[in-house]
Amino acid sequence: MTDQRGGPVDESCVLPEGPWTHRFVGANGSRFHVVEAGTGPMVLFLHGFPEYWYAWHEMLPAVADAGFRAVAVDLRGYGASDKPPRGYDGYTLAADVAGLIRALGERSATLVGSGAGGLIAWTAASFHPTLVRRLVVLGAPHPLRLRAAIFADPRGQFTASTPTLKFQLPRYEHVLTRDDGAEVEAMLRRWGGPGWVNGPDFEAYARCCRVAMQIPQAAFCAMEGYRWAFRSVLRLHGYRFVRLMQKPLVTPTLQLHGALDRASLPRTAQGSGRYVTAPYEWRLLDGVGHFPHVEARDLVLGEILRWTKA
């Protein structure tokens, strides 16, 4: 595997210089790569699949300029964070977030999660409510809404989830990394809105994601969370997870969803508010697909700041 300069891919490819600081933080038994800018109340950003912390590279300085400590993390298994063979279940991923908030010296944070990171954000707010001050979720139904829709909506969410269902196949990670990570770009194209996919910024962003997914073990680890989600349906710890997630959220929650999202359908995401007893808002974004944070950055930035300052 090679990066765009023709050499072997290593973690240095996710450490670009910019108006931010790179750090490594120990939390929940693993080492995480975090990127931060600014001072003030913390806003912790959780990327989705097939991305890494760079999903937020334009958001970080803007949120910092608004008076916040903006922190983006490479989730377990991604980018420059540790890539252990285990720990991709919902419990551990939520504990990673809780551990990071504490390790970064904060008592609580606003969580902003997109896609798979949004599912983790829902779970972290549910399992560790005292650590999550406010919640912003992009392109991610509540985990129980997604779980139910996969089974109850075969022509809709089940079909939309087919690409990630393929992750159950052994050694499927090689499909992601072959041909210089071409499948990563194909997924971004499939799930993104046409305005972004056909726009001037797509190619460079897709290139970054393709290279990052070729870091050794990253593709395998990225799939493990999806593998746990499907396999846990038939296991006791999956049943326990569902029971715990049924407890209503007490965190004020803003949910933004692209009207053209073909990974997590809008009709799946709608109704997630039934799991929130705190203030809750839902907004459907016209012309936007599965990646609102890069497809409609200014709109999403404004909504994040509005919700965080409330």
Side-chain angles (χ1 to χ4, degrees), residues 265-290:
L265 301 183
R267 70 189 193 217
T268 300
Q270 284 176 322
S272 296
R274 64 184 286 189
Y275 295 102
V276 184
T277 56
Y280 169 84
E281 289 186 21
W282 158 270
R283 182 171 178 183
L284 195 64
L285 309 179
D286 291 337
V288 174
H290 188 55

Side-chain angles (χ1 to χ4, degrees), residues 17 32 78 97 145 157 168 178 183 192 195 211 225 265 269:
E17 294 183 0
F32 292 89
Y78 286 84
V97 174
R145 285 285 301 171
Q157 189 58 56
Q168 303 300 310
R178 72 188 180 195
E183 181 61 19
V211 173
L265 301 183

Side-chain angles (χ1 to χ4, degrees), residues 91-172:
Y91 306 95
T92 304
L93 295 173
D96 286 348
V97 174
L100 277 165
I101 294 171
R102 296 190 188 99
L104 290 165
E106 302 285 350
R107 292 184 176 180
S108 64
T110 294
L111 274 190
V112 181
S114 175
L119 296 173
I120 296 170
W122 278 115
T123 308
S126 180
F127 289 4
H128 307 280
T130 61
L131 293 174
V132 183
R133 185 168 57 249
R134 300 183 83 80
L135 179 64
V136 182
V137 180
L138 314 173
H142 186 279
L144 299 190
R145 285 285 301 171
L146 179 59
R147 193 183 186 101
I150 287 173
F151 294 100
D153 187 8
R155 293 186 178 180
Q157 189 58 56
F158 180 85
T159 299
S161 299
T162 300
T164 53
L165 285 169
K166 292 179 181 177
F167 294 174
Q168 303 300 310
L169 298 173
R171 303 179 68 79
Y172 194 80

Side-chain angles (χ1 to χ4, degrees), residues 220-299:
F220 169 81
C221 295
M223 292 183 177
E224 282 296 280
Y226 290 94
R227 288 167 173 161
W228 177 83
F230 288 110
R231 293 172 185 172
S232 67
V233 172
L234 303 175
R235 296 177 180 175
L236 181 59
H237 62 122
Y239 171 72
R240 290 173 179 158
F241 180 81
V242 168
R243 285 188 59 191
L244 289 170
M245 286 300 297
Q246 287 172 345
K247 182 180 179 182
L249 263 70
V250 295
T251 303
T253 301
L254 171 64
Q255 188 172 10
L256 307 176
H257 208 91
L260 303 181
D261 192 331
R262 292 193 290 174
S264 298
L265 301 183
R267 70 189 193 217
T268 300
Q270 284 176 322
S272 296
R274 64 184 286 189
Y275 295 102
V276 184
T277 56
Y280 169 84
E281 289 186 21
W282 158 270
R283 182 171 178 183
L284 195 64
L285 309 179
D286 291 337
V288 174
H290 188 55
F291 308 99
H293 50 292
V294 289
E295 297 183 46
R297 184 188 69 89
D298 291 342
L299 187 156

